[in-house]
Amino acid sequence: MPRHYAIVPAAGSGSRFGAEMPKQYLPLAGRPLIYHTLAALCRCPRIDRVWVVLSPDDGWWGDYDWRELGAKLETVFCGGATRAQSVANGLNAAQTAAADDDWMLVHDAARPCISQAMLAALCDELADDPVGGLLAVPVADTLKRADGEQRVAATEARDGLWQAQTPQMFRYGVLRRALAGQAGVTDEAGAIEALGLKPKLVRGDASNLKVTYPADLRLAELILQGKTEGESE
Ligand code: C5P
């Protein structure tokens, strides 16, 4: 049986957020944001090990105590210049444990609200899939293309469009091959698509938001609070 592993690229500077520290360390519900992300992955019974990929210059990780996350967590300081390079370097670090057929779940550090139900749905739906796939949500809003003056140049058809989320789950061997020489892709599915393969879209939901701007942090806090109160995951 193939095993499941996770890689969390966390070597970004979070420049769009505009804070002094990288956004993965911003306080969220009493912990650094990334703590919640890692806790969800480490708590998932199907995932055997979690590699967190930090920047070689990371100056924050050592300020916190991560022991509560348990023995599944592996920390590597091999982040690259792009997200894809950080993931590729993380996959390289995982080679002592992972076999080509094992599943790798790549999950953004900045998505702390991932639920156990969504992780299970992803693993279940892709268990026998020849390619792998990703959590995603059909686009609900009308899409506008802007011109240079921030005025509407066109209304775009949204039929068949989905917003890609993470985790994105692919076989270790294929993913390594796909990412080699694909430093510019913004997600793993993009690299897999470049091989001519078609990743499966597994329906997620909007609660798995990516913290990108300050308002997202408050929203993430409310979602996490709701989870602890209702424990509906
Ligand atoms: O910037 P963005 O939100 O798209 O980043 C997505 C994820 O990729 C974040 O978890 C970020 O820390 C990570 N990343 C990385 N290495 C980079 C750039 C981003 O690990 N060079």
Side-chain angles (χ1 to χ4, degrees):
M1 282 291 281
R3 289 166 169 263
H4 292 81
Y5 298 116
I7 290 217
V8 178
S13 60
S15 51
R16 278 177 291 177
F17 199 96
E20 286 192 354
M21 57 167 47
K23 67 182 171 187
Q24 57 267 32
Y25 294 111
L26 289 170
L28 171 63
R31 307 266 197 183
L33 186 157
I34 192 178
Y35 180 92
H36 302 279
T37 313
L38 296 173
L41 295 168
C42 289
R43 199 163 56 231
C44 177
R46 301 167 199 235
I47 297 176
D48 285 340
R49 216 186 281 198
V50 177
W51 282 268
V52 55
V53 181
L54 302 170
S55 159
D57 313 319
D58 186 294
W60 287 270
W61 180 262
D63 293 346
Y64 304 94
D65 185 354
W66 306 95
R67 281 174 299 182
E68 257 181 70
L69 293 176
K72 285 187 187 176
L73 188 66
E74 302 263 353
T75 312
V76 285
F77 290 85
C78 60
T82 62
R83 181 187 185 285
Q85 275 173 355
S86 296
V87 174
N89 294 349
L91 291 173
N92 203 30
Q95 70 181 319
T96 48
D100 277 2
D101 273 355
D102 288 334
W103 289 110
M104 273 289 165
L105 284 80
V106 181
H107 186 55
D108 288 335
R111 291 187 190 270
C113 302
I114 182 70
S115 69
Q116 296 300 309
M118 281 298 145
L119 289 172
L122 184 71
C123 294
D124 284 347
E125 279 205 41
L126 298 178
D128 299 317
D129 197 276
V131 179
L134 60 147
L135 285 181
V137 183
V139 169
D141 297 323
T142 299
L143 296 176
K144 302 293 184 191
R145 182 168 298 281
D147 66 11
E149 270 95 51
Q150 209 176 302
R151 290 189 169 275
V152 176
T155 299
E156 302 285 345
R158 69 180 175 211
D159 306 339
L161 288 185
W162 292 58
Q163 278 180 285
Q165 299 183 339
T166 69
Q168 304 206 350
M169 178 173 140
F170 297 101
R171 303 267 183 190
Y172 177 73
V174 178
L175 188 55
R176 270 194 98 179
R177 237 183 318 125
L179 282 171
Q182 290 282 347
V185 290
T186 50
D187 69 353
E188 291 60 56
I192 297 285
E193 291 157 46
L195 294 181
L197 299 169
K198 290 187 164 185
K200 174 123 199 246
L201 295 161
V202 177
R203 196 175 181 130
D205 66 49
S207 70
N208 182 25
L209 83 167
K210 183 160 81 164
V211 176
T212 308
Y213 302 106
D216 302 331
L217 203 56
R218 180 73 190 124
L219 199 52
E221 187 144 346
L222 290 170
I223 294 168
L224 288 175
Q225 233 168 40
K227 268 199 206 165
T228 342
E229 281 160 17
E231 221 39 272
S232 56
E233 49 166 347

